Amino acid sequence: MLSLKKLSLASAIAASVALSACSNSSSSNSDDPAAGDVGISGTASAPGGQIAYYQEKSLLEIASGFLIPRAVAAISGLQPVQGADVELIRVDDNGEQIGEVLATARTSVTGDYSLTLPQGVNLAGNLVVRITGTNNAQIRSQVVEQEVDIDPASEFILQKFVQSGASLENLEVTDVVKIKNRVAEFDLTASPDFQLADMLAELDKVVGEDLEGQIELATNEAGDIADIAGTYRSAAIELGLYDTDNGGDGTWASEVFAATFTFAAGADGDAEVTLTSEEGSDSLLFGSNLAGSSLFTFTDANMEEESLPAIFTANNTLTIETPFEEEVDGDVGFRSPPATLRLQKALNTNVFVLAASETVLRYDTTMAGDLDPNAKTGDELSQTLEVFAETPSGNNPIILDGDFGRVYLENDQVAGDNITITTEQNVVSFDGEGNLTATAGTTQDLSLTTGGVVTFSEPPGAADEEPLPVVIDSNGDIVTIGGEEVDGFINADLNFISFLFNEDDAMSDGSAVVTEYSKTLLVRLPTSAPTVEGNSYRVFGIAAGFPNPDGEAIILRGQRFNTLLNMTSNTAGTVQGTQITTNRPDFTSQVARTTAAVENSASVDVMANGQTTVTITEPDGTTELSGFFNEDASIGIFTNNFTPTDGTTDSLGLTILMQVNP
């Protein structure tokens, strides 16, 4: 979530945090190796001091000191690798050895090693120290400074660079050092019997997306900030699952929030993002089960300007780095990890999309009112889908004409009773005289009621509406529809619309019986079927579901930034990337987040007016995207649903496709 809490601290991002007390993470060496011998030294460590690939049931766990930047190893619980041969080699962009071994050393009983770079060999992203274990398992580390530790984190970083397709030889060594330091900010602990393959997978789950963002910054050219400069409106919906460590109450959380920003060039040549206002509404449904649940709502607003640096790259990505964050609110403390937020810009208009998976840990406080790191009380995991659009700059009210495709996501909760997710899609037509009409469209409802009863239905759409007057002011704010106030905006190119809605019956103490939060998106439709063959789309989604028809299980689904739909023809494509799943088996169980690589086939049906259905075949069921492409098929907006192979539809949500290749 690009929200006030994160923006207010982003300008305080530390440049780096030490990687290891052993290696000190010194800055990149700038001496010319030809002028004298350059020594390389460090410590080799691995799970149990062994380097092997095979499965164990142990899990990489978040330490009790999770998220506290500290000058120790990025992963504690590792043991020294003793008596192992360390080889200095060059590797190609696939991570494979090039040429002969350049130098060797052997680790001591404490895992330490040292060697000297041969004359003419410089620090570089493709210069690697390597230890090989059983079954040809290996851990490597890029030699980008004189102190080089070899451990699972360094191997993970190298693998991520290889997966990105980067030219290792041409990497700036300072960029690699920064990324190593970034990973060290995540304080992790491994059990002694944990094995390398499992550890690399768990590292990917915990720090993978942040690291991918950092690598993207290091390997992409700068974009032209003038192309995106302007005033922006944003709108977001967030869904979350919170737990209590002692097995107490669970929480289903919902939020909608809107903000205004300016994007501009900063003094250092990078972008500067300034938050000028923000307001939001939150709803917390909590209790030991649905029948015993209570609702609490609150709103907040801020009109103070806050600025932070950002980087806009030539691949149309705006990146904002957020730091480790710690705060205290009354007698409750919160911590969240550093994050690399990436906003994807549309190809031909200044519309951006952000999808974020957030982690917040909750703590008790000390008698002095400080966060007590030894008194963790729960976890708060959430998924957010947020859109940003540059606003118009004219002087006259805006009168729209033409057809727009509409998709809609609603989340209702009733204290002591149910949670209901609703999606809709239809066509909205503007007549050029300040009115709109809407077709009936389609609707899907998914409800979880007390006792774990799950109901899915597809009620008939409402009848066509009579023309309703629409008032849109000169800066794109949609003020009223049918005489009723609304919270919406249209972009500067008049082809993308967003609405937020929230309603509750909150009492003076914040308690409520019913709350309703919703998000609506519209895109201007083409007049003939667009061509999508050869297009590559980044996939942004949010979904909530109830996968157990006999229990109060709740699940959240989303995708990492690396997830793409690649169209091989106008009717077929493949989805590749990473699925994010946040799950709670019942209302009070501990929440857990998992990630899984996906590579699934997709069939696509694009109609003449841009209305589109994408059917994605997955190993355990089918995901269907139903919605619309815009005029040039560079943006697609969809409702999503997942139907397991042997069951009924059990999740609903929204998906946005953003074309990334010209």
Side-chain angles (χ1 to χ4, degrees), residues 96 242 252 275 280 282 293 303 308 339 461 602 651 655 661:
E96 301 297 330
Y242 304 169
W252 165 253
L275 172 69
D282 294 75
S293 63
M303 302 300 166
L308 71 157
S651 78
T655 296
N661 62 327

Side-chain angles (χ1 to χ4, degrees), residues 548-563:
N548 182 0
D550 301 315
E552 294 183 345
I554 303 176
I555 193 170
L556 299 176
R557 292 190 174 99
Q559 293 79 33
R560 272 195 193 166
F561 193 83
N562 68 355
T563 304

Side-chain angles (χ1 to χ4, degrees), residues 4 258-260 275-280 300-306:
L4 175 62
T260 57
L275 172 69
T276 55
S277 68
E278 183 181 42
E279 57 184 348
D300 55 75
N302 183 70
M303 302 300 166
E304 295 182 7
E305 287 195 2
E306 303 173 41

Side-chain angles (χ1 to χ4, degrees), residues 107-154:
T107 61
S108 68
V109 293
T110 58
D112 297 321
Y113 77 95
S114 62
L115 56 81
T116 300
L117 292 184
Q119 291 291 318
V121 175
N122 296 301
L123 304 176
N126 69 339
L127 185 66
V128 167
V129 283
R130 173 183 68 185
I131 297 176
T132 303
T134 60
N135 302 323
N136 293 318
Q138 58 183 357
I139 54 173
R140 299 162 294 179
S141 188
Q142 291 162 281
V143 183
V144 291
E145 51 190 341
Q146 289 183 250
E147 299 288 341
V148 184
D149 288 345
I150 311 169
D151 56 32
S154 65

Side-chain angles (χ1 to χ4, degrees), residues 488-539:
F489 58 85
I490 189 167
N491 69 326
D493 293 324
L494 306 184
N495 54 18
F496 183 90
I497 297 173
S498 175
F499 289 97
L500 290 178
F501 177 82
N502 67 280
E503 184 175 60
D504 57 54
D505 61 353
M507 310 299 180
S508 59
D509 63 354
S511 63
V513 176
V514 180
T515 62
E516 175 189 333
Y517 291 169
S518 68
K519 182 176 180 63
T520 302
L521 299 173
L522 299 93
V523 293
R524 185 180 291 277
L525 297 178
T527 55
S528 61
T531 299
V532 296
E533 181 177 0
N535 290 356
S536 183
Y537 295 94
R538 200 170 302 284
V539 182

Side-chain angles (χ1 to χ4, degrees), residues 597-610:
V598 295
E599 185 170 355
N600 301 315
S601 61
S603 61
V604 181
D605 181 17
V606 184
M607 299 175 64
N609 69 343

